[in-house]
Amino acid sequence: MTATDADTGEMEVDAHHDGRGHVAIGVMLRRARQAYAHDAWSARAVFVVEAGEEMTRLAADVRDLLGG
């Protein structure tokens, strides 16, 4: 599964279940609208969490962080 900020493309989130109880969640941030500029940048982090309670806690923390 992949979700991208459709308006600006500044953030992309993807998640993959390994079939053994873990989910890898990738988050990429990039400079808005100028991906090919000479000073363009991007950063990516991948978090591996256990499916179930750990995933539920992470989702709640992200929701709180984003003000939802």
Side-chain angles (χ1 to χ4, degrees), residues 8-49:
T8 64
E10 293 176 336
M11 185 170 92
E12 181 176 311
V13 177
D14 59 84
H16 303 278
H17 190 278
D18 68 0
R20 295 177 290 179
H22 295 91
V23 178
I25 301 168
V27 180
M28 180 184 292
L29 303 175
R30 66 175 66 93
R31 182 173 178 197
R33 303 181 196 273
Q34 297 181 6
Y36 299 104
H38 72 280
D39 59 348
W41 60 268
S42 67
R44 179 170 171 79
V46 178
F47 306 91
V48 178
V49 297

Side-chain angles (χ1 to χ4, degrees), residues 41-63:
W41 60 268
S42 67
R44 179 170 171 79
V46 178
F47 306 91
V48 178
V49 297
E50 293 178 5
E53 185 59 32
E54 188 175 13
M55 184 76 173
T56 300
R57 282 194 317 267
L58 177 63
D61 289 346
V62 169
R63 184 175 49 247

